[in-house]
Every structure is written in structure tokens, then in C-alpha cells.
Amino acid sequence: MTGARRRAYLAERAWKYCRGSTRRAEDVFGWSRQAVQLGLHEKRTGIVCLGLHTFCCGAKLWEKKPPEVAQALWALAESHAQQDPTFRTALSFTRLTAEAAIKQLRAQGVADDMLPSRSGMSEVLNRSGYRLRPVLQAKPQKKSRKPTPFSPISGNVTAMAKTKPSCA
């Protein structure tokens, strides 16, 4: 447990076993007094506090930075998408590779600094529900079995049948 769920648990236990005393909870359980106090305040007011780390940190997803380019990418991926051949899932597979997507977006006039890397493009396509799968090429049908010397297709049997006299 982390964040608000953890603080709610700490506050609940501190209220139940330590009568809401943060110092006593620190002595008995070894918990951070500040975390227990913040949990008690959150429980009392009903307002969950977000830390600065949660609020400000982390890189934004590529789709949120240039949304018009992301829309163009999704339209491009949708044109190359196909249903799962087994129809067991609702997943869409795309024949579009990350490199091909980048090339086609460049051809549409998108600047290079707005495009992610190849691996980043793969992640963007996977996050939006398109699974990159290698396209299976059509395999030729197997030829018939290799004829054995005594199979009816083999020329040896017909030659042997001509040389042996019939018993009739």
C-alpha cells in the first residue's frame, strides 16, 4: 500500500489502538508521525492530499503532448488494422510497424521533433490497443507424400506388374 490508502490504514489503526495519538502510534508501531497525522487529517476532513511528487512528476504521455498528431496516428493505424483471425478476442492487430508509422506521419508533414522514437511509437500503438504482430505469409500447401517403392503411384509397382505373369 502506498499514498492515501496507506495513510488511511495508519490513521484507522492509530485511532483504534492509540486513541488518535500520533506520538503513541510512532512509539508502538514505529510508523512515521507525520504520515499518521496526515492520515488522521484526511480522515477527519474527507479530503485526500496529493503529494507534490504525484502532482508534478512524471513525463506526460506522447499522446497528450501533440493531440492532433496522435489523432493522425490513430487514423493511420485504424486503416491498417485487422480483427483477430480467431475471433476469440476483441483485439485489433495492425500490420503497420512503428518505423512505417513514423515515415507515413513524416510524409503527412509532421515535424521530426514531434515524433517519438521507434520504440516509443511501438508503446504508443500498444497503449491505444493496436498489437503489433508479424504478418504471416501464405505458406504453400504440402506436396503429397513421397512415393515409396511399393506404393501404387510408384513406377516400380507398375513395372513389376508387367513383368510377372498373372496366375489366372
Side-chain angles (χ1 to χ4, degrees):
M1 279 191 291
T2 58
R5 289 180 55 203
R6 179 175 180 266
R7 290 191 301 267
Y9 174 79
L10 296 178
E12 181 183 323
R13 297 295 167 212
W15 190 259
K16 185 174 181 179
Y17 297 113
C18 303
R19 296 186 211 137
S21 171
T22 57
R23 288 182 188 269
R24 192 165 199 192
E26 182 182 28
D27 289 340
V28 172
F29 299 116
W31 295 336
S32 167
R33 192 177 350 158
Q34 291 81 13
V36 174
Q37 186 174 15
L38 183 58
L40 288 169
H41 287 307
E42 287 176 345
K43 186 174 181 175
R44 181 175 46 88
T45 62
I47 299 172
V48 177
C49 299
L50 290 178
L52 187 61
H53 181 78
T54 306
F55 184 69
C56 295
C57 285
K60 291 184 180 178
L61 295 177
W62 178 83
E63 301 92 285
K64 305 233 186 229
K65 292 178 187 174
E68 62 279 349
V69 179
Q71 291 294 332
L73 172 66
W74 291 326
L76 183 66
E78 188 64 35
S79 67
H80 289 276
Q82 63 185 24
Q83 179 64 33
D84 178 17
T86 61
F87 294 106
R88 292 182 186 160
T89 63
L91 290 176
S92 297
F93 295 107
T94 183
R95 295 179 172 200
L96 183 68
T97 63
E99 289 182 28
I102 291 171
K103 286 179 185 176
Q104 290 185 12
L105 286 175
R106 280 187 191 138
Q108 290 180 4
V110 178
D112 285 339
D113 60 337
M114 295 181 78
L115 294 173
S117 64
R118 184 179 53 82
S119 60
M121 182 63 77
S122 297
E123 290 176 14
V124 169
L125 288 170
N126 282 336
R127 270 196 307 262
S128 53
Y130 297 103
R131 302 292 178 237
L132 302 173
R133 297 283 183 253
V135 179
L136 295 176
Q137 296 181 352
K139 294 180 182 178
Q141 290 184 351
K142 288 186 176 181
K143 295 181 180 178
S144 61
R145 294 187 310 159
K146 184 177 176 183
T148 60
F150 297 106
S151 67
I153 303 171
S154 174
N156 294 340
V157 172
T158 55
M160 288 171 49
K162 288 180 183 177
T163 58
K164 286 188 178 181
S166 64
C167 297

